[in-house]
Amino acid sequence: TRILEVEGLSARYGHVEALRPVDLHVEDGELIAILGPNGAGKSTLMNAIMGLVPTEGRVRFRGRDVPRRAPAEAAALGIVLVPEGRGIFAPMTVAENLELGAYLLSDKREFARRHERVLSMFPRLKERLTQTAGSLSGGEQQMLAVGRALMAEPKILLLDEPSLGLAPRVIEEILQTLGELNRQGLSIILVEQKAPLVLTLARRAYLLSVGTIAAEIDPRTIKSHD
Ligand code: ADP
Ligand code: ADP
């Protein structure tokens, strides 16, 4: 069954048609990649799915229409985005950023359970709970961004270029954790510019080019040269 279905989704910024009608789907438990060069519309697509930009078309979550222009409702359904640039709050502590991820939750025991789970996935955050997010390394900030998203217990997690600006070793660590989460059943959309990064994770990828889906591919069939 499909956890997410996108039908004829388009978006524009003034006269710029950033997204032409796009169709895609994610099966329950699948990790798919969205690949494409800078400016292809990848961020716009993620923001459009969340309802963060004005769109035409439909987004369905487990068969139900996801209200447009209502990102809080998308989040409440279990669609959570780790935006490009991470979206964490630099002056706040790591602990406070994690708390924000679960702001809808009032059950303290459930909060503690999620908190512990996130820290076990990202042990590096554990020693830094009282530090400000801004004082973390880039890799740790990305881990915090993913950790904060996980505090909301998403059903499907969208990640917009989580590798951006990070060293290869940290990228690998983060991608491994995403693979682990996916094996535990989490559906994931992973946006990246470079196919080699998603080769071992995604069985299916959509190639985005000038705002439209140019192809659907198996990334493992791509020969990697870099
Ligand atoms: P990427 O291409 O990796 O998504 P960009 O540098 O294009 O990164 O975009 C960074 C931010 O700037 C995004 O929030 C995007 O929405 C915004 N942005 C990109 N292009 C424009 C533009 N032409 N005018 C205004 N904002 C833009
Ligand atoms: P990608 O994430 O693949 O780099 P984007 O979704 O950031 O692509 O951008 C797609 C197109 O929309 C680009 O031409 C970009 O310049 C334009 N764009 C993105 N954000 C804005 C914005 N806020 N205002 C105007 N144009 C934008």
Side-chain angles (χ1 to χ4, degrees):
T1 59
R2 293 181 170 177
I3 187 158
L4 198 79
E5 212 156 5
V6 167
E7 273 177 28
L9 197 65
S10 63
R12 51 171 62 242
Y13 302 105
H15 295 295
V16 181
E17 210 177 356
L19 211 59
R20 290 149 213 279
V22 161
D23 296 295
L24 63 83
H25 67 271
V26 183
E27 302 289 341
D28 223 329
E30 214 183 7
L31 187 158
I32 67 146
I34 310 274
L35 300 170
N38 207 13
K42 304 183 298 300
S43 296
T44 302
L45 176 56
M46 292 306 104
N47 293 335
I49 289 173
M50 295 304 297
L52 290 162
V53 296
T55 57
E56 284 178 42
R58 294 176 87 169
V59 176
R60 270 181 295 192
F61 175 81
R62 292 185 172 149
R64 280 170 60 183
D65 269 308
V66 179
R68 304 286 71 212
R69 302 243 60 186
E73 292 193 43
L77 283 171
I79 310 172
V80 176
L81 170 67
V82 178
E84 185 183 8
R86 293 151 198 160
I88 53 176
F89 296 98
M92 295 172 67
T93 66
V94 168
E96 287 164 344
N97 270 280
L98 290 176
E99 275 171 41
L100 277 176
Y103 75 98
L104 292 172
L105 187 72
S106 52
D107 182 334
K108 286 201 173 114
R109 286 177 68 177
E110 175 62 14
F111 179 88
R113 189 189 68 76
R114 292 184 192 182
H115 198 254
E116 199 162 311
R117 176 163 175 259
V118 166
L119 294 183
S120 74
M121 304 215 91
F122 297 111
R124 286 216 237 164
L125 297 179
K126 212 182 235 170
E127 297 110 61
R128 292 174 170 71
L129 284 171
T130 57
Q131 281 180 232
T132 60
S135 71
L136 301 179
S137 72
E140 288 159 358
Q141 290 188 14
Q142 186 63 67
M143 290 173 189
L144 177 57
V146 176
R148 189 184 67 174
L150 293 175
M151 287 298 289
E153 288 235 315
K155 305 285 192 296
I156 180 164
L157 182 63
L158 283 45
L159 300 115
D160 193 350
E161 284 199 68
S163 71
L164 207 66
L166 303 184
R169 180 170 292 182
V170 183
I171 295 174
E172 193 170 318
E173 202 178 323
I174 290 169
L175 293 182
Q176 263 179 23
T177 303
L178 295 178
E180 176 67 30
L181 286 161
N182 177 243
R183 280 190 293 280
Q184 291 173 12
L186 182 64
S187 306
I188 295 179
I189 299 182
L190 180 57
V191 168
E192 284 293 348
Q193 280 196 39
K194 299 191 183 79
L197 286 180
V198 307
L199 287 178
T200 55
L201 285 177
R203 295 222 174 149
R204 220 154 54 75
Y206 293 96
L207 284 183
L208 208 60
S209 168
V210 249
T212 195
I213 292 191
E216 189 186 323
I217 57 163
D218 179 344
R220 293 168 303 181
T221 62
I222 294 177
K223 291 266 190 306
S224 103
H225 298 290
D226 57 345

